Amino acid sequence: MFRAVSFGDRQVHLPSMLMEYLSYYQVFLYSIKNGALLGKAPVRSVFHRQIYFSCVEAMPKMAALAAIIGYVVITQLTSILGMNAPLVGKILVWSALRELGPVLSAVLIISRSGVAVTSELASMKLEGELGALKLMGVNPMDYLVVPRVLGITVALFLLTIYLQAATIIGGLLLCAALIDISFYQSLGAIFGAVTFADMALSIVKSLVFGAIIASVICYHGLSVGGSITQIPQATIKSVMRCFILVFIANGLITFLVFL
Amino acid sequence: MITFETVMTASQGPVSFHIARGSITAIETDPGDGFAELKNTLLGLCPPRKGRVSLLGRDLYSISEEEYVDIFREVGVVLDDGGLISNLKVWENLVLPATYHDGINAAAVEKKAAAMFGRLGIGPEEAREMTSLAPGELSSTNARMVRMVRTMLAGPDHMIYAGITDGLRGPARDAILSAAVEYHRAAPGRTSVFLTTSPGALTGTAVDTTITIAAAPEGGE
């Protein structure tokens, strides 16, 4: 039974949406339970490729972007707070480690891997390749979904660390070159401001965001019906759902941490 | 090994037969819808309107997805069309079942694959070139041969060839049939089932039984 709830002009069928959220969780749980499948060479190959595509390929372009973001944040902070290295360092740690790193990484992975994986899995389903895998005695969930969920989760974690380092170091280098801030003094202040709790928070966020994104995009990719027009529909839906859930998760984690 | 019990599809039936383990059987049917329906019904892809389809003693339409996948570890299926994974190169498609199920190293599979291609009339250079392509770049005949080699590399005891020689003539057809029979005889107890739309397609091949399935008369049973 569906219960339609109106949101302005839109009607939302609650049970089907809740069923989808439950399905995302089931996809994630299935992938964790069957992580040992990474012992099979073909599954491991998909896992490695996913990390390469989601993380390694994005790194060169993201280095410059992260440095510019770091420069902008540091410049804005010093314009407000003056050359107060300890305080600038603390705020940079809070913003880069706690927020910018995990969230920017999530946005990057949603816009690259979210689109790619959803449309790839949807195309495979429409072309009958899932059926072909079953006729080879290969469970499509085991071969297609498990390595992608685990790969994207790991990729987001690695990308977060990379972006945080690039934001801080790149930003400080740019500032040292452009606005005469002492690189070593600022770096020292930043290291002094980093706590274990900050690192743990960024790790938890990156893993949670990675799990959410991977589960959502795999679910929607495999949920298409028989029409090719459903591929872009599924892709749009998975990307939007990822953004919503990641930002909700970010808010929830922040709320729980600072309770 | 395969049992059809009064199976009716949209255009065929009722059909009843049993294929025993260790036999070579040809199932001849009409081209078009009839062949597609029979193939899909046999492979558990489309439930029949009536009747029961059993593969390895299990009702294909009342088992779980896990059990379904398990059956096809023991039964190799070579399709006439489709079946290759588009985001993998031909070589990766070839070694997928063998490396997935048996953990065999891809390099160890290479020698076996080269020998199998040799039996199909494809030399080492041609095979090397072919396996570096994407599946969409293969000719229809070569794609069938790749599917055949891929399935055989996994070493299943039972093989279903769905239209694999239909539309082929001459050396390619003869090479495929010869390789299929050689595979059948390579180990005791192997079963081979050939689904075909060409009457007499297996002439010259040592077939134990030929089953002919005609379209159902118009107006029902």
Side-chain angles (χ1 to χ4, degrees), chain A residues 13-36:
Chain A
H13 293 95
L14 271 183
S16 64
M17 201 157 76
L18 284 175
M19 288 303 292
E20 280 184 344
Y21 285 8
L22 187 63
S23 298
Y24 303 152
Y25 175 67
Q26 285 175 329
V27 167
F28 174 69
L29 209 62
Y30 185 92
S31 303
I32 293 295
K33 272 193 205 170
N34 292 282

mmCIF file of all heavy atoms in Angstrom, chain A residues 13-36:
data_model
loop_
_atom_site.group_PDB
_atom_site.id
_atom_site.type_symbol
_atom_site.label_atom_id
_atom_site.label_comp_id
_atom_site.label_asym_id
_atom_site.label_seq_id
_atom_site.Cartn_x
_atom_site.Cartn_y
_atom_site.Cartn_z
ATOM 1 N N HIS A 13 5.376 9.097 -2.993
ATOM 2 C CA HIS A 13 4.866 7.845 -2.429
ATOM 3 C C HIS A 13 5.874 7.343 -1.403
ATOM 4 O O HIS A 13 6.881 6.768 -1.750
ATOM 5 C CB HIS A 13 4.642 6.804 -3.534
ATOM 6 C CG HIS A 13 3.539 7.193 -4.471
ATOM 7 N ND1 HIS A 13 3.741 7.851 -5.650
ATOM 8 C CD2 HIS A 13 2.196 7.049 -4.351
ATOM 9 C CE1 HIS A 13 2.588 8.075 -6.239
ATOM 10 N NE2 HIS A 13 1.636 7.603 -5.472
ATOM 11 N N LEU A 14 5.563 7.577 -0.162
ATOM 12 C CA LEU A 14 6.543 7.299 0.893
ATOM 13 C C LEU A 14 7.100 5.893 0.899
ATOM 14 O O LEU A 14 8.295 5.707 0.959
ATOM 15 C CB LEU A 14 5.959 7.638 2.265
ATOM 16 C CG LEU A 14 6.178 9.054 2.732
ATOM 17 C CD1 LEU A 14 5.633 9.236 4.126
ATOM 18 C CD2 LEU A 14 7.644 9.450 2.694
ATOM 19 N N PRO A 15 6.228 4.893 0.865
ATOM 20 C CA PRO A 15 6.786 3.537 0.963
ATOM 21 C C PRO A 15 7.817 3.227 -0.110
ATOM 22 O O PRO A 15 8.814 2.597 0.188
ATOM 23 C CB PRO A 15 5.570 2.642 0.860
ATOM 24 C CG PRO A 15 4.464 3.481 1.364
ATOM 25 C CD PRO A 15 4.791 4.882 0.909
ATOM 26 N N SER A 16 7.592 3.665 -1.351
ATOM 27 C CA SER A 16 8.555 3.296 -2.394
ATOM 28 C C SER A 16 9.886 3.986 -2.143
ATOM 29 O O SER A 16 10.948 3.417 -2.370
ATOM 30 C CB SER A 16 8.027 3.625 -3.786
ATOM 31 O OG SER A 16 7.868 5.020 -3.920
ATOM 32 N N MET A 17 9.874 5.214 -1.625
ATOM 33 C CA MET A 17 11.123 5.905 -1.348
ATOM 34 C C MET A 17 11.827 5.236 -0.180
ATOM 35 O O MET A 17 13.035 5.028 -0.204
ATOM 36 C CB MET A 17 10.854 7.377 -1.029
ATOM 37 C CG MET A 17 12.077 8.249 -1.223
ATOM 38 S SD MET A 17 11.725 9.964 -1.497
ATOM 39 C CE MET A 17 11.298 10.529 0.111
ATOM 40 N N LEU A 18 11.046 4.870 0.834
ATOM 41 C CA LEU A 18 11.638 4.186 1.979
ATOM 42 C C LEU A 18 12.209 2.842 1.551
ATOM 43 O O LEU A 18 13.267 2.430 2.034
ATOM 44 C CB LEU A 18 10.604 3.974 3.082
ATOM 45 C CG LEU A 18 10.250 5.202 3.915
ATOM 46 C CD1 LEU A 18 9.138 4.891 4.886
ATOM 47 C CD2 LEU A 18 11.477 5.713 4.661
ATOM 48 N N MET A 19 11.488 2.195 0.635
ATOM 49 C CA MET A 19 11.983 0.909 0.129
ATOM 50 C C MET A 19 13.317 1.108 -0.572
ATOM 51 O O MET A 19 14.210 0.282 -0.471
ATOM 52 C CB MET A 19 10.972 0.295 -0.851
ATOM 53 C CG MET A 19 9.717 -0.226 -0.205
ATOM 54 S SD MET A 19 10.053 -1.460 1.068
ATOM 55 C CE MET A 19 10.669 -2.805 0.091
ATOM 56 N N GLU A 20 13.451 2.208 -1.278
ATOM 57 C CA GLU A 20 14.719 2.474 -1.962
ATOM 58 C C GLU A 20 15.831 2.705 -0.959
ATOM 59 O O GLU A 20 16.938 2.192 -1.116
ATOM 60 C CB GLU A 20 14.591 3.697 -2.885
ATOM 61 C CG GLU A 20 13.914 3.370 -4.206
ATOM 62 C CD GLU A 20 13.877 4.546 -5.155
ATOM 63 O OE1 GLU A 20 14.103 5.694 -4.714
ATOM 64 O OE2 GLU A 20 13.585 4.323 -6.343
ATOM 65 N N TYR A 21 15.560 3.445 0.097
ATOM 66 C CA TYR A 21 16.591 3.698 1.108
ATOM 67 C C TYR A 21 17.006 2.391 1.774
ATOM 68 O O TYR A 21 18.190 2.153 2.044
ATOM 69 C CB TYR A 21 16.076 4.683 2.163
ATOM 70 C CG TYR A 21 16.013 6.121 1.690
ATOM 71 C CD1 TYR A 21 16.239 6.457 0.358
ATOM 72 C CD2 TYR A 21 15.709 7.154 2.569
ATOM 73 C CE1 TYR A 21 16.177 7.763 -0.072
ATOM 74 C CE2 TYR A 21 15.655 8.466 2.138
ATOM 75 C CZ TYR A 21 15.886 8.767 0.825
ATOM 76 O OH TYR A 21 15.814 10.065 0.403
ATOM 77 N N LEU A 22 16.013 1.540 2.017
ATOM 78 C CA LEU A 22 16.320 0.233 2.596
ATOM 79 C C LEU A 22 17.179 -0.586 1.639
ATOM 80 O O LEU A 22 18.114 -1.281 2.046
ATOM 81 C CB LEU A 22 15.010 -0.507 2.888
ATOM 82 C CG LEU A 22 15.124 -1.827 3.651
ATOM 83 C CD1 LEU A 22 15.692 -1.591 5.040
ATOM 84 C CD2 LEU A 22 13.744 -2.481 3.781
ATOM 85 N N SER A 23 16.884 -0.453 0.355
ATOM 86 C CA SER A 23 17.644 -1.188 -0.668
ATOM 87 C C SER A 23 19.096 -0.714 -0.723
ATOM 88 O O SER A 23 20.006 -1.517 -0.920
ATOM 89 C CB SER A 23 17.002 -1.026 -2.041
ATOM 90 O OG SER A 23 15.705 -1.560 -2.036
ATOM 91 N N TYR A 24 19.323 0.600 -0.555
ATOM 92 C CA TYR A 24 20.701 1.105 -0.543
ATOM 93 C C TYR A 24 21.462 0.427 0.577
ATOM 94 O O TYR A 24 22.604 -0.030 0.442
ATOM 95 C CB TYR A 24 20.756 2.622 -0.292
ATOM 96 C CG TYR A 24 19.999 3.484 -1.237
ATOM 97 C CD1 TYR A 24 19.494 4.713 -0.824
ATOM 98 C CD2 TYR A 24 19.780 3.113 -2.561
ATOM 99 C CE1 TYR A 24 18.791 5.530 -1.690
ATOM 100 C CE2 TYR A 24 19.071 3.930 -3.431
ATOM 101 C CZ TYR A 24 18.581 5.134 -2.992
ATOM 102 O OH TYR A 24 17.879 5.942 -3.846
ATOM 103 N N TYR A 25 20.813 0.331 1.745
ATOM 104 C CA TYR A 25 21.454 -0.286 2.905
ATOM 105 C C TYR A 25 21.729 -1.761 2.632
ATOM 106 O O TYR A 25 22.803 -2.274 2.989
ATOM 107 C CB TYR A 25 20.551 -0.119 4.139
ATOM 108 C CG TYR A 25 21.064 -0.817 5.363
ATOM 109 C CD1 TYR A 25 22.237 -0.385 5.990
ATOM 110 C CD2 TYR A 25 20.402 -1.915 5.897
ATOM 111 C CE1 TYR A 25 22.727 -1.047 7.109
ATOM 112 C CE2 TYR A 25 20.892 -2.572 7.012
ATOM 113 C CZ TYR A 25 22.047 -2.129 7.616
ATOM 114 O OH TYR A 25 22.534 -2.771 8.712
ATOM 115 N N GLN A 26 20.782 -2.437 1.963
ATOM 116 C CA GLN A 26 20.967 -3.862 1.653
ATOM 117 C C GLN A 26 22.136 -4.067 0.698
ATOM 118 O O GLN A 26 22.897 -5.025 0.828
ATOM 119 C CB GLN A 26 19.689 -4.439 1.032
ATOM 120 C CG GLN A 26 18.596 -4.659 2.062
ATOM 121 C CD GLN A 26 17.293 -5.110 1.438
ATOM 122 O OE1 GLN A 26 16.972 -4.751 0.309
ATOM 123 N NE2 GLN A 26 16.529 -5.886 2.169
ATOM 124 N N VAL A 27 22.274 -3.164 -0.270
ATOM 125 C CA VAL A 27 23.397 -3.249 -1.218
ATOM 126 C C VAL A 27 24.717 -3.114 -0.462
ATOM 127 O O VAL A 27 25.661 -3.882 -0.678
ATOM 128 C CB VAL A 27 23.283 -2.145 -2.303
ATOM 129 C CG1 VAL A 27 24.577 -2.008 -3.084
ATOM 130 C CG2 VAL A 27 22.130 -2.438 -3.243
ATOM 131 N N PHE A 28 24.767 -2.148 0.445
ATOM 132 C CA PHE A 28 25.996 -1.931 1.213
ATOM 133 C C PHE A 28 26.294 -3.135 2.094
ATOM 134 O O PHE A 28 27.432 -3.628 2.138
ATOM 135 C CB PHE A 28 25.877 -0.657 2.056
ATOM 136 C CG PHE A 28 27.043 -0.452 2.974
ATOM 137 C CD1 PHE A 28 28.295 -0.148 2.475
ATOM 138 C CD2 PHE A 28 26.900 -0.591 4.347
ATOM 139 C CE1 PHE A 28 29.390 0.013 3.315
ATOM 140 C CE2 PHE A 28 27.984 -0.433 5.189
ATOM 141 C CZ PHE A 28 29.232 -0.131 4.679
ATOM 142 N N LEU A 29 25.267 -3.611 2.791
ATOM 143 C CA LEU A 29 25.442 -4.756 3.693
ATOM 144 C C LEU A 29 25.904 -5.993 2.935
ATOM 145 O O LEU A 29 26.802 -6.725 3.376
ATOM 146 C CB LEU A 29 24.105 -5.045 4.373
ATOM 147 C CG LEU A 29 24.186 -5.666 5.761
ATOM 148 C CD1 LEU A 29 24.901 -4.732 6.717
ATOM 149 C CD2 LEU A 29 22.766 -5.940 6.292
ATOM 150 N N TYR A 30 25.310 -6.221 1.770
ATOM 151 C CA TYR A 30 25.690 -7.365 0.926
ATOM 152 C C TYR A 30 27.162 -7.265 0.532
ATOM 153 O O TYR A 30 27.901 -8.251 0.569
ATOM 154 C CB TYR A 30 24.816 -7.406 -0.334
ATOM 155 C CG TYR A 30 25.066 -8.622 -1.203
ATOM 156 C CD1 TYR A 30 24.317 -9.778 -1.045
ATOM 157 C CD2 TYR A 30 26.056 -8.616 -2.183
ATOM 158 C CE1 TYR A 30 24.551 -10.900 -1.829
ATOM 159 C CE2 TYR A 30 26.300 -9.724 -2.968
ATOM 160 C CZ TYR A 30 25.545 -10.865 -2.790
ATOM 161 O OH TYR A 30 25.790 -11.978 -3.568
ATOM 162 N N SER A 31 27.592 -6.053 0.184
ATOM 163 C CA SER A 31 28.977 -5.858 -0.247
ATOM 164 C C SER A 31 29.958 -6.091 0.902
ATOM 165 O O SER A 31 31.015 -6.694 0.710
ATOM 166 C CB SER A 31 29.169 -4.443 -0.806
ATOM 167 O OG SER A 31 28.270 -4.219 -1.859
ATOM 168 N N ILE A 32 29.591 -5.646 2.098
ATOM 169 C CA ILE A 32 30.472 -5.850 3.247
ATOM 170 C C ILE A 32 30.543 -7.343 3.593
ATOM 171 O O ILE A 32 31.622 -7.894 3.828
ATOM 172 C CB ILE A 32 29.964 -5.047 4.469
ATOM 173 C CG1 ILE A 32 30.096 -3.555 4.203
ATOM 174 C CG2 ILE A 32 30.706 -5.435 5.745
ATOM 175 C CD1 ILE A 32 31.514 -3.060 4.060
ATOM 176 N N LYS A 33 29.371 -7.986 3.587
ATOM 177 C CA LYS A 33 29.322 -9.429 3.942
ATOM 178 C C LYS A 33 30.131 -10.265 2.962
ATOM 179 O O LYS A 33 30.651 -11.318 3.316
ATOM 180 C CB LYS A 33 27.876 -9.914 3.882
ATOM 181 C CG LYS A 33 27.094 -9.755 5.156
ATOM 182 C CD LYS A 33 25.833 -10.581 4.998
ATOM 183 C CE LYS A 33 24.720 -10.145 5.824
ATOM 184 N NZ LYS A 33 23.450 -10.788 5.509
ATOM 185 N N ASN A 34 30.175 -9.832 1.704
ATOM 186 C CA ASN A 34 30.837 -10.622 0.665
ATOM 187 C C ASN A 34 32.173 -10.017 0.236
ATOM 188 O O ASN A 34 32.644 -10.264 -0.873
ATOM 189 C CB ASN A 34 29.914 -10.757 -0.554
ATOM 190 C CG ASN A 34 28.701 -11.616 -0.250
ATOM 191 O OD1 ASN A 34 28.783 -12.845 -0.215
ATOM 192 N ND2 ASN A 34 27.585 -10.974 0.002
ATOM 193 N N GLY A 35 32.777 -9.263 1.134
ATOM 194 C CA GLY A 35 34.068 -8.637 0.838
ATOM 195 C C GLY A 35 35.151 -9.653 0.498
ATOM 196 O O GLY A 35 36.083 -9.350 -0.240
ATOM 197 N N ALA A 36 34.997 -10.887 1.008
ATOM 198 C CA ALA A 36 35.988 -11.928 0.733
ATOM 199 C C ALA A 36 36.067 -12.267 -0.756
ATOM 200 O O ALA A 36 37.037 -12.891 -1.210
ATOM 201 C CB ALA A 36 35.666 -13.180 1.527
#
